[in-house]
């Protein structure tokens, strides 16, 4: 559902970093993306996710060997549904972000306390990987996106 929403911050990631660095994959419960499955099987990818019910041994704390990050781009409820209905995701290593930054994404209501939107998560990951220039490019695109979305909401009223 998230692809079609104008408030989707994942689109900003692809637009800012380009399809060579980021891509969106449509989740289909019964037909997982073959390229995604191959990437997961190679063992160089990690799922960005957090759930207190997942055993701690599934989480990793270093990103040195990680080449690809999988982020479930949707509402918190949608992300949980995708995770719970995708056995191939449940076999992945997991990384949970810890950030002192408060989310600037104020487009939707009922946001998770301490949660970041997709674009903000990618910015944090880029910084952790030492890719500050790309994080700044994404940050500028994200701020423009927020400005456009807020203007759009004001104009609709």
């Amino acid at each position: 559902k998230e692809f079609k929403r104008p408030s989707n911050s994942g689109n900003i990631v692809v637009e800012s970093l380009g399809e060579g660095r980021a891509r969106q994959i449509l989740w289909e419960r019964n037909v997982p993306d073959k390229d995604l499955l191959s990437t997961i099987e190679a063992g160089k990818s990690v799922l960005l996710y957090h759930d207190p019910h997942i055993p701690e041994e599934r989480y990793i704390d270093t990103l040195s060997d990680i080449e690809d990050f999988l982020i479930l781009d949707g509402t918190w409820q949608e992300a949980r549904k995708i995770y719970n209905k995708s056995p191939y995701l449940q076999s992945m290593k997991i990384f949970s972000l810890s950030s002192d930054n408060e989310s600037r994404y104020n487009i939707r209501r009922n946001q998770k306390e301490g949660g970041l939107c997709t674009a903000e998560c990618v910015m944090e990951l880029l910084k952790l990987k030492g890719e500050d220039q790309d994080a700044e490019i994404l940050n500028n695109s994200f701020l423009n996106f927020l400005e456009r979305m807020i203007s759009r909401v004001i104009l609709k009223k």
Side-chain angles (χ1 to χ4, degrees):
K1 295 178 183 178
E2 193 65 20
F3 277 10
K4 297 177 184 174
R5 292 182 179 136
S7 57
N8 177 327
S9 73
N11 291 333
I12 301 303
V13 174
V14 176
E15 290 171 16
S16 297
L17 301 179
E19 290 192 28
R21 298 269 337 260
R23 70 181 181 115
Q24 293 174 308
I25 300 169
L26 179 63
W27 179 73
E28 296 183 69
R29 181 177 178 201
N30 296 319
V31 187
D33 184 85
K34 288 181 171 110
D35 290 337
L36 175 61
L37 293 177
S38 295
T39 299
I40 292 170
E41 288 173 16
K44 298 273 187 181
S45 59
V46 67
L47 176 65
L48 182 65
Y49 195 69
H50 182 77
D51 182 336
H53 300 100
I54 296 174
E56 281 188 39
E57 56 269 9
R58 293 263 323 279
Y59 288 89
I60 63 166
D61 57 3
T62 180
L63 301 178
S64 57
D65 294 337
I66 303 303
E67 294 176 6
D68 296 302
F69 297 92
L70 180 61
I71 302 171
L72 303 177
D73 184 25
T75 65
W76 293 101
Q77 295 81 8
E78 289 168 344
R80 188 176 318 109
K81 174 186 169 184
I82 291 169
Y83 178 82
N84 288 335
K85 295 185 179 210
S86 305
Y88 55 93
L89 296 178
Q90 297 170 20
S91 68
M92 292 183 73
K93 295 180 269 184
I94 298 175
F95 183 73
S96 181
L97 271 177
S98 176
S99 175
D100 295 332
N101 295 331
E102 192 171 314
S103 179
R104 296 172 289 172
Y105 185 83
N106 55 3
I107 307 301
R108 295 184 189 158
R109 291 181 292 192
N110 301 327
Q111 294 303 303
K112 188 174 180 180
E113 179 80 24
L116 301 174
C117 72
T118 299
E120 292 169 319
C121 288
V122 173
M123 283 183 261
E124 292 292 324
L125 289 171
L126 289 168
K127 290 176 193 173
L128 288 172
K129 295 290 277 183
E131 299 179 31
D132 294 334
Q133 186 175 2
D134 283 341
E136 188 58 32
I137 290 169
L138 179 53
N139 182 58
N140 291 334
S141 296
F142 178 64
L143 292 175
N144 289 333
F145 161 77
L146 289 177
E147 193 173 295
R148 285 191 316 270
M149 288 303 298
I150 290 169
S151 297
R152 183 178 177 171
V153 170
I154 292 170
L155 290 174
K156 278 189 165 187
K157 288 185 178 183

